[in-house]
Amino acid sequence: MTRKPYTAHYRFEDGDWIVEVDEIPQVHTFATSLAKAQAHIREALALWLQVEDTTSLSLDERYEGLPENLLDVVAQANAARAQASELSDRAQQLTASPARSLIVDLGMSGRGAARLLGVSHQRVHQLVHQDQARSA
């Protein structure tokens, strides 16, 4: 079992990403792209800990070497996307049941239900079938 989470510090210097793990200073790497640096640090940490599955590692990623105001805006954008995803999931939950009721119980057309719910008729079709599959 691995200790969770590890803290990976990413530093952007001269076009490269340098990454170090706080808890294990011997684990570090670098790459020219952030995606490669993220993959490399997971591989390096997995090797050090002798873990086969890199996805089982929990990394708290911190970024340095960028203007502080830019990091703040990036953090706000990430938080807003997470909130939007949660709201989208909630909207789907709130739309599925009435969509099924409008079509199955009241005999409304898919297009009529879609118009009432403010979604496409294709989305109503998906939601009704997903809701029916869950009920079965």
Side-chain angles (χ1 to χ4, degrees), residues 11-18 30-32 65-66:
R11 190 172 63 250
F12 191 67
E13 281 185 18
D14 299 325
D16 291 325
W17 288 96
I18 300 165
F30 76 97
T32 56
L66 299 170

Side-chain angles (χ1 to χ4, degrees), residues 34 63 66-81:
L34 180 56
Y63 299 93
L66 299 170
E68 197 63 38
N69 62 335
L70 183 58
L71 289 173
D72 289 342
V73 173
V74 167
Q76 290 173 14
N78 288 337
R81 269 192 302 285

Side-chain angles (χ1 to χ4, degrees), residues 24-38:
I24 308 170
Q26 298 89 336
V27 177
H28 51 88
T29 189
F30 76 97
T32 56
S33 76
L34 180 56
K36 287 182 181 179
Q38 290 170 325

Side-chain angles (χ1 to χ4, degrees), residues 31-100:
T32 56
S33 76
L34 180 56
K36 287 182 181 179
Q38 290 170 325
H40 292 337
I41 199 63
R42 284 190 171 279
E43 292 167 4
L45 185 58
L47 282 171
W48 184 268
L49 298 173
Q50 298 179 353
V51 173
E52 290 185 31
D53 182 14
T54 61
T55 60
S56 69
L57 301 171
S58 177
L59 283 177
D60 179 17
E61 297 178 318
R62 309 276 172 100
Y63 299 93
E64 301 169 355
L66 299 170
E68 197 63 38
N69 62 335
L70 183 58
L71 289 173
D72 289 342
V73 173
V74 167
Q76 290 173 14
N78 288 337
R81 269 192 302 285
Q83 185 178 20
S85 178
E86 290 173 13
L87 289 172
S88 177
D89 291 346
R90 180 74 176 132
Q92 179 176 325
Q93 292 168 356
L94 291 171
T95 306
S97 180
R100 185 174 192 280

